[in-house]
Amino acid sequence: TEGTKYIIRTDIMWSNQAHLLSRAAPSQESAQEAQSEEEDEPEAVAAQQQQHRIRRAVLPSERAAIDSVHDAAFAASHEALLGGTAWFDPSGTCMVAVDSDDAIVGFIFVVAAVGETKPAVSEEPPLPRIDDLFVHPQWQGRGVGSALLAAAEIFARDEEGGWQDVLHLAVLEEDTRVRAFYRSRGYEEGGRFVCSVDGGAYLHAMKPIWKYA
């Protein structure tokens, strides 16, 4: 999630999964809504994307750098929405976006296997799922979030995730910018829930990720 770590009630189930699976491509309306991540001309976007690359994080040695990106991104957006609450305890596989000096400018955690979950956190979205997605404020709008999300989808789909059909996540209901970002990339929102940790209202979201969708 591009937001705070969350806990989800297990009594909230997906009733419309079959309907969502039949809609692999985002609607024209959703695509027009998303003006949050990339609004530059194609040439400018291409130039920006050359400034970063995606790789697997080296943990735990890079955890401090990841925490720094999280804190900066949280302060710039979610702090006002959540009243200053910040709980960041991700699990799963971490991929990072780095600049030309190999400094981390964004990250994503994706959980694809049951063994990657934390024993103390029993209520989570279905697997595979996005645990966290954050981009440093100075790097937002350069395609970093899109590149990280695409890498996570590939990982969850076939690298180590066992050819999964659907990728799940949760998004803060009040964060209309991030909601538009995910909708434009094929994610459809489902049930609403209130996080028992930070008190925020979140929405389920899911996307078909099979290989030939």
Side-chain angles (χ1 to χ4, degrees):
T1 305
E2 186 168 81
T4 299
K5 183 72 174 61
Y6 47 83
I7 296 178
I8 296 178
R9 299 199 315 268
T10 54
D11 59 319
I12 301 175
M13 302 300 293
W14 289 99
S15 61
N16 59 343
Q17 179 163 326
H19 169 68
L20 295 179
L21 286 173
S22 67
R23 302 180 61 184
S27 66
Q28 182 177 0
E29 180 182 357
S30 296
Q32 291 174 345
E33 275 185 302
Q35 300 178 4
S36 58
E37 179 71 8
E38 292 104 12
E39 285 294 329
D40 299 314
E41 294 297 323
E43 295 82 1
V45 171
Q48 291 168 348
Q49 290 177 339
Q50 292 176 359
Q51 299 175 12
H52 68 267
R53 62 185 178 85
I54 309 299
R55 63 168 173 79
R56 190 76 62 89
V58 180
L59 296 175
S61 62
E62 290 187 320
R63 180 58 192 265
I66 291 170
D67 287 350
S68 178
V69 171
H70 167 268
D71 293 346
F74 183 90
S77 58
H78 290 73
E79 186 170 12
L81 297 175
L82 292 172
T85 302
W87 177 49
F88 181 54
D89 188 24
S91 58
T93 298
C94 181
M95 283 165 277
V96 294
V98 297
D99 64 13
S100 58
D101 295 322
D102 206 42
I104 295 175
V105 299
F107 66 88
I108 190 167
F109 280 85
V110 55
V111 183
V114 174
E116 293 179 322
T117 58
K118 295 180 179 298
V121 180
S122 60
E123 298 173 337
E124 294 283 4
L127 299 179
R129 66 173 178 267
I130 300 299
D131 239 14
D132 289 279
L133 168 57
F134 283 96
V135 177
H136 194 283
Q138 294 180 352
W139 281 79
Q140 292 176 7
R142 303 190 187 188
V144 176
S146 296
L148 286 166
L149 188 59
E153 290 171 356
I154 293 172
F155 173 83
R157 183 188 67 197
D158 54 27
E159 182 173 338
E160 291 185 28
W163 292 87
Q164 300 293 330
D165 289 338
V166 179
L167 185 60
H168 302 267
L169 55 85
V171 61
L172 191 62
E173 185 178 30
E174 292 186 67
D175 199 334
T176 55
R177 181 182 64 88
V178 174
R179 289 174 62 186
F181 166 79
Y182 283 120
R183 282 197 298 266
S184 74
R185 285 146 185 85
Y187 288 82
E188 296 208 26
E189 297 171 349
R192 179 182 184 273
F193 68 95
V194 176
C195 176
S196 62
V197 175
D198 60 36
Y202 290 82
L203 298 172
H204 295 265
M206 60 188 297
K207 176 185 178 179
I209 55 169
W210 54 79
K211 193 173 184 64
Y212 298 106

